Amino acid sequence: MEPLSVVERTEVVIVGAGPTGLTAAVRLAALGVPHVVLDSALEPTRTSNAALVHAATIELLAALGLGEELVRAGRRVHRIGMVDRGRPLVRVGLTGLPSRYPFALGVPQSTTEQLLLHRLAELGGSVRRGHRVTSVRTEGTRHVVAGTVEPDGGAAGFAVSARYVIGADGAHSTIRSATGVGFPGETYPSQFVLADVALSTAAGPDDEATINLSPEGVTVLGRLPGPNHRIIATVGPTATVPEAPDRQFVDALLAQRGIAARSTAEPVWSSRFRVHHRVADRFRVDGVFLAGDAAHVHSPAAGQGMNTGIADAYDVATRLGAVLTGHADEPVLDGYERQRRAAALEVLAFTDRLTKLAMLENPLARLGRRVAAGTVLRFPWPLQRRITMWVSGLGRSPLRQDLPATGEPSLRVGP
Ligand SMILES: Cc1cc2nc3c(=O)[nH]c(=O)nc-3n(C[C@H](O)[C@H](O)[C@H](O)COP(=O)(O)OP(=O)(O)OC[C@H]3O[C@@H](n4cnc5c(N)ncnc54)[C@H](O)[C@@H]3O)c2cc1C
């Protein structure tokens, strides 16, 4: 690698331009804070990964100026239903949520990232692609982020010095490793199958995300924009699952679980994966902050991963913006780890419980699960409200907690 004679200076370096890093970049750009965004990937996400955007996230993205476009691009989900082998157990409505957006949105992660990138460009920002960060070191009150520029085969190096660093570089975060922060947790034994596929009409109402229970596993169905449904299903730890499940596999899985819908084409995208649940021991080391998957990973139950990362990013970027524009003093930065680590632990605990419920193999335990679902039906209030507030993320949204003033007009978050 060539020696680095000039180190560029900025206020904030964001490592990673996934949904978390992009949200932080848009927020900093909106507050007029100089920053640099680095990503090793040569292009943004092309797949639909995180396909459910909850009400709290729509509010946050609306605060960044892309609410209308997001709502237009997505498909509204008004209910979450639970079905046991075709027999409806519970329907929990989202329409009573205390938000201007009383619904969730089915929208591919690639679309959400495109909207964030577009907004960043409108605000004069950009992403430096092909920039792989390999180290971060502290020099006095600043942090130097260094790495290689990949299109040049790693021959050229770069170094950027900043007052603060946001590590939004995903589950295998280099920034987390470089700062020596632990990432304890476990991997679930079950495998998960994902498919985006067009289904026959028997898949259920278009505005409902349906959780289907069966002895073979849990299958979640939700409608995406366009002709496809998103299917996520748990399968046994030793089951043979192809790397990219095809139409035949999907139809056999649906039939085995008593779900009447069948595919009408090959999946446009499918995959099998295992799920980890981990939370970083610390979300901050001096001026280096961890956010999104770099700080926490959990099961896809209730689709919380990207949503929690976007909330982290909004929180940390607002605090950094307030300090760097002179509206607040450094101690407000302490609130980031306090609020967002607590939020991540809450999400992890809830998704862990849901995932373990989904993986139950013992018939008696599964009977208990059906009875528990019936209890939610019999006591709709306040149990259902607690569930919807939790799933929507509104209860732990940074917009509804204490964030420092940044000199902007205050936001209305209610209905
Ligand atoms: C199949 C699947 C389905 C999912 N479904 C859902 C769902 O329904 N709902 C939900 O909320 N979440 C879901 N998730 C999780 C969601 O996709 C992640 O939580 C989300 O992408 C995390 O965003 P992030 O920006 O924190 O990290 P990432 O999206 O992982 O982005 C990290 C970025 O950092 C870059 N990077 C990594 N290392 C470096 C480095 N050393 N130098 C520079 N750049 C680097 C990467 O190129 C990447 O662009 C799903 C995930 C998968 C895989």
Side-chain angles (χ1 to χ4, degrees), residues 114-137:
Q114 280 305 326
L115 292 174
L116 282 162
L117 277 166
H118 184 244
R119 184 72 185 126
L120 184 61
E122 277 179 350
L123 293 165
S126 63
V127 176
R128 293 186 195 172
R129 297 208 167 270
H131 282 60
R132 178 172 296 282
V133 172
T134 53
S135 69
V136 55
R137 64 175 194 276

PDB file of all heavy atoms in Angstrom, residues 114-137:
ATOM      1  N   GLN A 114     -32.475   3.178  -1.607  1.00  0.00           N
ATOM      2  CA  GLN A 114     -32.470   4.097  -2.765  1.00  0.00           C
ATOM      3  C   GLN A 114     -33.050   5.455  -2.369  1.00  0.00           C
ATOM      4  O   GLN A 114     -32.529   6.504  -2.752  1.00  0.00           O
ATOM      5  CB  GLN A 114     -33.282   3.514  -3.928  1.00  0.00           C
ATOM      6  CG  GLN A 114     -32.541   2.481  -4.747  1.00  0.00           C
ATOM      7  CD  GLN A 114     -31.207   2.980  -5.282  1.00  0.00           C
ATOM      8  OE1 GLN A 114     -31.053   4.159  -5.615  1.00  0.00           O
ATOM      9  NE2 GLN A 114     -30.218   2.113  -5.316  1.00  0.00           N
ATOM     10  N   LEU A 115     -34.140   5.429  -1.598  1.00  0.00           N
ATOM     11  CA  LEU A 115     -34.762   6.696  -1.178  1.00  0.00           C
ATOM     12  C   LEU A 115     -33.810   7.488  -0.280  1.00  0.00           C
ATOM     13  O   LEU A 115     -33.696   8.712  -0.396  1.00  0.00           O
ATOM     14  CB  LEU A 115     -36.089   6.420  -0.459  1.00  0.00           C
ATOM     15  CG  LEU A 115     -37.214   5.853  -1.341  1.00  0.00           C
ATOM     16  CD1 LEU A 115     -38.438   5.469  -0.502  1.00  0.00           C
ATOM     17  CD2 LEU A 115     -37.617   6.866  -2.413  1.00  0.00           C
ATOM     18  N   LEU A 116     -33.111   6.784   0.622  1.00  0.00           N
ATOM     19  CA  LEU A 116     -32.148   7.473   1.497  1.00  0.00           C
ATOM     20  C   LEU A 116     -30.997   8.050   0.668  1.00  0.00           C
ATOM     21  O   LEU A 116     -30.564   9.191   0.892  1.00  0.00           O
ATOM     22  CB  LEU A 116     -31.607   6.500   2.546  1.00  0.00           C
ATOM     23  CG  LEU A 116     -32.537   6.210   3.728  1.00  0.00           C
ATOM     24  CD1 LEU A 116     -32.130   4.931   4.463  1.00  0.00           C
ATOM     25  CD2 LEU A 116     -32.534   7.392   4.713  1.00  0.00           C
ATOM     26  N   LEU A 117     -30.516   7.277  -0.305  1.00  0.00           N
ATOM     27  CA  LEU A 117     -29.415   7.764  -1.157  1.00  0.00           C
ATOM     28  C   LEU A 117     -29.844   9.004  -1.939  1.00  0.00           C
ATOM     29  O   LEU A 117     -29.079   9.966  -2.080  1.00  0.00           O
ATOM     30  CB  LEU A 117     -29.002   6.667  -2.144  1.00  0.00           C
ATOM     31  CG  LEU A 117     -28.025   5.630  -1.597  1.00  0.00           C
ATOM     32  CD1 LEU A 117     -27.966   4.416  -2.519  1.00  0.00           C
ATOM     33  CD2 LEU A 117     -26.624   6.239  -1.434  1.00  0.00           C
ATOM     34  N   HIS A 118     -31.067   8.965  -2.438  1.00  0.00           N
ATOM     35  CA  HIS A 118     -31.591  10.085  -3.216  1.00  0.00           C
ATOM     36  C   HIS A 118     -31.683  11.334  -2.332  1.00  0.00           C
ATOM     37  O   HIS A 118     -31.275  12.430  -2.714  1.00  0.00           O
ATOM     38  CB  HIS A 118     -32.958   9.687  -3.780  1.00  0.00           C
ATOM     39  CG  HIS A 118     -33.546  10.736  -4.665  1.00  0.00           C
ATOM     40  ND1 HIS A 118     -34.703  11.395  -4.362  1.00  0.00           N
ATOM     41  CD2 HIS A 118     -33.109  11.262  -5.828  1.00  0.00           C
ATOM     42  CE1 HIS A 118     -34.957  12.282  -5.300  1.00  0.00           C
ATOM     43  NE2 HIS A 118     -34.007  12.216  -6.206  1.00  0.00           N
ATOM     44  N   ARG A 119     -32.181  11.143  -1.105  1.00  0.00           N
ATOM     45  CA  ARG A 119     -32.315  12.278  -0.168  1.00  0.00           C
ATOM     46  C   ARG A 119     -30.935  12.824   0.198  1.00  0.00           C
ATOM     47  O   ARG A 119     -30.741  14.046   0.297  1.00  0.00           O
ATOM     48  CB  ARG A 119     -33.059  11.803   1.093  1.00  0.00           C
ATOM     49  CG  ARG A 119     -33.339  12.880   2.090  1.00  0.00           C
ATOM     50  CD  ARG A 119     -34.425  13.834   1.608  1.00  0.00           C
ATOM     51  NE  ARG A 119     -34.596  14.940   2.536  1.00  0.00           N
ATOM     52  CZ  ARG A 119     -34.538  16.218   2.196  1.00  0.00           C
ATOM     53  NH1 ARG A 119     -34.357  16.570   0.933  1.00  0.00           N
ATOM     54  NH2 ARG A 119     -34.691  17.162   3.096  1.00  0.00           N
ATOM     55  N   LEU A 120     -29.976  11.913   0.389  1.00  0.00           N
ATOM     56  CA  LEU A 120     -28.606  12.337   0.721  1.00  0.00           C
ATOM     57  C   LEU A 120     -28.046  13.203  -0.417  1.00  0.00           C
ATOM     58  O   LEU A 120     -27.439  14.253  -0.166  1.00  0.00           O
ATOM     59  CB  LEU A 120     -27.731  11.099   0.966  1.00  0.00           C
ATOM     60  CG  LEU A 120     -26.294  11.362   1.411  1.00  0.00           C
ATOM     61  CD1 LEU A 120     -26.250  12.115   2.736  1.00  0.00           C
ATOM     62  CD2 LEU A 120     -25.512  10.050   1.530  1.00  0.00           C
ATOM     63  N   ALA A 121     -28.272  12.757  -1.641  1.00  0.00           N
ATOM     64  CA  ALA A 121     -27.770  13.523  -2.797  1.00  0.00           C
ATOM     65  C   ALA A 121     -28.450  14.898  -2.847  1.00  0.00           C
ATOM     66  O   ALA A 121     -27.789  15.918  -3.107  1.00  0.00           O
ATOM     67  CB  ALA A 121     -28.036  12.745  -4.077  1.00  0.00           C
ATOM     68  N   GLU A 122     -29.754  14.943  -2.569  1.00  0.00           N
ATOM     69  CA  GLU A 122     -30.468  16.239  -2.555  1.00  0.00           C
ATOM     70  C   GLU A 122     -29.838  17.196  -1.549  1.00  0.00           C
ATOM     71  O   GLU A 122     -29.827  18.406  -1.744  1.00  0.00           O
ATOM     72  CB  GLU A 122     -31.933  16.021  -2.140  1.00  0.00           C
ATOM     73  CG  GLU A 122     -32.838  15.597  -3.252  1.00  0.00           C
ATOM     74  CD  GLU A 122     -34.268  15.377  -2.751  1.00  0.00           C
ATOM     75  OE1 GLU A 122     -34.514  15.374  -1.525  1.00  0.00           O
ATOM     76  OE2 GLU A 122     -35.124  15.192  -3.599  1.00  0.00           O
ATOM     77  N   LEU A 123     -29.341  16.631  -0.439  1.00  0.00           N
ATOM     78  CA  LEU A 123     -28.753  17.473   0.617  1.00  0.00           C
ATOM     79  C   LEU A 123     -27.258  17.709   0.377  1.00  0.00           C
ATOM     80  O   LEU A 123     -26.567  18.266   1.228  1.00  0.00           O
ATOM     81  CB  LEU A 123     -28.965  16.808   1.986  1.00  0.00           C
ATOM     82  CG  LEU A 123     -30.429  16.727   2.456  1.00  0.00           C
ATOM     83  CD1 LEU A 123     -30.570  15.741   3.615  1.00  0.00           C
ATOM     84  CD2 LEU A 123     -30.936  18.112   2.873  1.00  0.00           C
ATOM     85  N   GLY A 124     -26.755  17.236  -0.762  1.00  0.00           N
ATOM     86  CA  GLY A 124     -25.364  17.500  -1.133  1.00  0.00           C
ATOM     87  C   GLY A 124     -24.386  16.440  -0.655  1.00  0.00           C
ATOM     88  O   GLY A 124     -23.173  16.611  -0.776  1.00  0.00           O
ATOM     89  N   GLY A 125     -24.887  15.319  -0.124  1.00  0.00           N
ATOM     90  CA  GLY A 125     -23.990  14.271   0.378  1.00  0.00           C
ATOM     91  C   GLY A 125     -23.791  13.154  -0.634  1.00  0.00           C
ATOM     92  O   GLY A 125     -24.463  13.104  -1.670  1.00  0.00           O
ATOM     93  N   SER A 126     -22.875  12.246  -0.328  1.00  0.00           N
ATOM     94  CA  SER A 126     -22.620  11.103  -1.218  1.00  0.00           C
ATOM     95  C   SER A 126     -21.927   9.996  -0.437  1.00  0.00           C
ATOM     96  O   SER A 126     -21.522  10.196   0.707  1.00  0.00           O
ATOM     97  CB  SER A 126     -21.741  11.529  -2.398  1.00  0.00           C
ATOM     98  OG  SER A 126     -20.488  11.947  -1.891  1.00  0.00           O
ATOM     99  N   VAL A 127     -21.793   8.837  -1.089  1.00  0.00           N
ATOM    100  CA  VAL A 127     -21.122   7.686  -0.469  1.00  0.00           C
ATOM    101  C   VAL A 127     -19.850   7.404  -1.257  1.00  0.00           C
ATOM    102  O   VAL A 127     -19.881   7.361  -2.485  1.00  0.00           O
ATOM    103  CB  VAL A 127     -22.038   6.432  -0.514  1.00  0.00           C
ATOM    104  CG1 VAL A 127     -21.303   5.202   0.030  1.00  0.00           C
ATOM    105  CG2 VAL A 127     -23.330   6.686   0.266  1.00  0.00           C
ATOM    106  N   ARG A 128     -18.724   7.209  -0.549  1.00  0.00           N
ATOM    107  CA  ARG A 128     -17.492   6.785  -1.234  1.00  0.00           C
ATOM    108  C   ARG A 128     -17.480   5.267  -1.255  1.00  0.00           C
ATOM    109  O   ARG A 128     -17.261   4.630  -0.223  1.00  0.00           O
ATOM    110  CB  ARG A 128     -16.265   7.300  -0.496  1.00  0.00           C
ATOM    111  CG  ARG A 128     -16.178   8.793  -0.576  1.00  0.00           C
ATOM    112  CD  ARG A 128     -14.897   9.290   0.031  1.00  0.00           C
ATOM    113  NE  ARG A 128     -15.019  10.711   0.248  1.00  0.00           N
ATOM    114  CZ  ARG A 128     -14.131  11.439   0.901  1.00  0.00           C
ATOM    115  NH1 ARG A 128     -13.039  10.855   1.400  1.00  0.00           N
ATOM    116  NH2 ARG A 128     -14.322  12.732   1.070  1.00  0.00           N
ATOM    117  N   ARG A 129     -17.743   4.702  -2.416  1.00  0.00           N
ATOM    118  CA  ARG A 129     -17.814   3.244  -2.528  1.00  0.00           C
ATOM    119  C   ARG A 129     -16.439   2.649  -2.810  1.00  0.00           C
ATOM    120  O   ARG A 129     -15.517   3.360  -3.225  1.00  0.00           O
ATOM    121  CB  ARG A 129     -18.798   2.859  -3.622  1.00  0.00           C
ATOM    122  CG  ARG A 129     -20.206   3.320  -3.270  1.00  0.00           C
ATOM    123  CD  ARG A 129     -21.286   2.475  -3.862  1.00  0.00           C
ATOM    124  NE  ARG A 129     -22.554   2.814  -3.208  1.00  0.00           N
ATOM    125  CZ  ARG A 129     -23.010   2.233  -2.122  1.00  0.00           C
ATOM    126  NH1 ARG A 129     -22.320   1.257  -1.541  1.00  0.00           N
ATOM    127  NH2 ARG A 129     -24.155   2.593  -1.593  1.00  0.00           N
ATOM    128  N   GLY A 130     -16.317   1.358  -2.551  1.00  0.00           N
ATOM    129  CA  GLY A 130     -15.029   0.690  -2.762  1.00  0.00           C
ATOM    130  C   GLY A 130     -14.011   1.083  -1.708  1.00  0.00           C
ATOM    131  O   GLY A 130     -12.823   0.821  -1.861  1.00  0.00           O
ATOM    132  N   HIS A 131     -14.427   1.713  -0.619  1.00  0.00           N
ATOM    133  CA  HIS A 131     -13.516   2.136   0.450  1.00  0.00           C
ATOM    134  C   HIS A 131     -13.659   1.178   1.636  1.00  0.00           C
ATOM    135  O   HIS A 131     -14.612   1.283   2.405  1.00  0.00           O
ATOM    136  CB  HIS A 131     -13.832   3.571   0.896  1.00  0.00           C
ATOM    137  CG  HIS A 131     -13.300   4.604  -0.036  1.00  0.00           C
ATOM    138  ND1 HIS A 131     -13.682   4.671  -1.356  1.00  0.00           N
ATOM    139  CD2 HIS A 131     -12.405   5.612   0.150  1.00  0.00           C
ATOM    140  CE1 HIS A 131     -13.047   5.681  -1.942  1.00  0.00           C
ATOM    141  NE2 HIS A 131     -12.267   6.270  -1.053  1.00  0.00           N
ATOM    142  N   ARG A 132     -12.733   0.233   1.723  1.00  0.00           N
ATOM    143  CA  ARG A 132     -12.794  -0.753   2.813  1.00  0.00           C
ATOM    144  C   ARG A 132     -11.986  -0.247   4.005  1.00  0.00           C
ATOM    145  O   ARG A 132     -10.768  -0.054   3.896  1.00  0.00           O
ATOM    146  CB  ARG A 132     -12.248  -2.103   2.354  1.00  0.00           C
ATOM    147  CG  ARG A 132     -12.248  -3.157   3.483  1.00  0.00           C
ATOM    148  CD  ARG A 132     -11.889  -4.530   2.985  1.00  0.00           C
ATOM    149  NE  ARG A 132     -12.863  -5.045   2.035  1.00  0.00           N
ATOM    150  CZ  ARG A 132     -14.049  -5.560   2.371  1.00  0.00           C
ATOM    151  NH1 ARG A 132     -14.382  -5.647   3.643  1.00  0.00           N
ATOM    152  NH2 ARG A 132     -14.878  -5.987   1.450  1.00  0.00           N
ATOM    153  N   VAL A 133     -12.647  -0.054   5.124  1.00  0.00           N
ATOM    154  CA  VAL A 133     -11.969   0.409   6.340  1.00  0.00           C
ATOM    155  C   VAL A 133     -11.294  -0.786   6.999  1.00  0.00           C
ATOM    156  O   VAL A 133     -11.916  -1.848   7.165  1.00  0.00           O
ATOM    157  CB  VAL A 133     -12.978   1.081   7.296  1.00  0.00           C
ATOM    158  CG1 VAL A 133     -12.336   1.380   8.644  1.00  0.00           C
ATOM    159  CG2 VAL A 133     -13.525   2.348   6.659  1.00  0.00           C
ATOM    160  N   THR A 134     -10.040  -0.611   7.369  1.00  0.00           N
ATOM    161  CA  THR A 134      -9.325  -1.720   8.021  1.00  0.00           C
ATOM    162  C   THR A 134      -8.887  -1.366   9.441  1.00  0.00           C
ATOM    163  O   THR A 134      -8.551  -2.255  10.212  1.00  0.00           O
ATOM    164  CB  THR A 134      -8.088  -2.137   7.191  1.00  0.00           C
ATOM    165  OG1 THR A 134      -7.299  -0.957   6.941  1.00  0.00           O
ATOM    166  CG2 THR A 134      -8.493  -2.760   5.860  1.00  0.00           C
ATOM    167  N   SER A 135      -8.864  -0.070   9.774  1.00  0.00           N
ATOM    168  CA  SER A 135      -8.425   0.281  11.131  1.00  0.00           C
ATOM    169  C   SER A 135      -9.007   1.623  11.569  1.00  0.00           C
ATOM    170  O   SER A 135      -9.416   2.445  10.730  1.00  0.00           O
ATOM    171  CB  SER A 135      -6.893   0.372  11.192  1.00  0.00           C
ATOM    172  OG  SER A 135      -6.453   1.485  10.448  1.00  0.00           O
ATOM    173  N   VAL A 136      -9.066   1.809  12.886  1.00  0.00           N
ATOM    174  CA  VAL A 136      -9.393   3.123  13.440  1.00  0.00           C
ATOM    175  C   VAL A 136      -8.475   3.325  14.645  1.00  0.00           C
ATOM    176  O   VAL A 136      -8.332   2.439  15.474  1.00  0.00           O
ATOM    177  CB  VAL A 136     -10.896   3.250  13.786  1.00  0.00           C
ATOM    178  CG1 VAL A 136     -11.379   2.155  14.718  1.00  0.00           C
ATOM    179  CG2 VAL A 136     -11.235   4.604  14.387  1.00  0.00           C
ATOM    180  N   ARG A 137      -7.791   4.463  14.675  1.00  0.00           N
ATOM    181  CA  ARG A 137      -6.899   4.726  15.810  1.00  0.00           C
ATOM    182  C   ARG A 137      -7.172   6.124  16.361  1.00  0.00           C
ATOM    183  O   ARG A 137      -7.641   7.014  15.632  1.00  0.00           O
ATOM    184  CB  ARG A 137      -5.429   4.568  15.422  1.00  0.00           C
ATOM    185  CG  ARG A 137      -4.952   5.553  14.396  1.00  0.00           C
ATOM    186  CD  ARG A 137      -3.444   5.450  14.125  1.00  0.00           C
ATOM    187  NE  ARG A 137      -2.997   6.616  13.381  1.00  0.00           N
ATOM    188  CZ  ARG A 137      -3.073   6.735  12.060  1.00  0.00           C
ATOM    189  NH1 ARG A 137      -3.579   5.762  11.328  1.00  0.00           N
ATOM    190  NH2 ARG A 137      -2.650   7.848  11.469  1.00  0.00           N
TER     191      ARG A 137
END
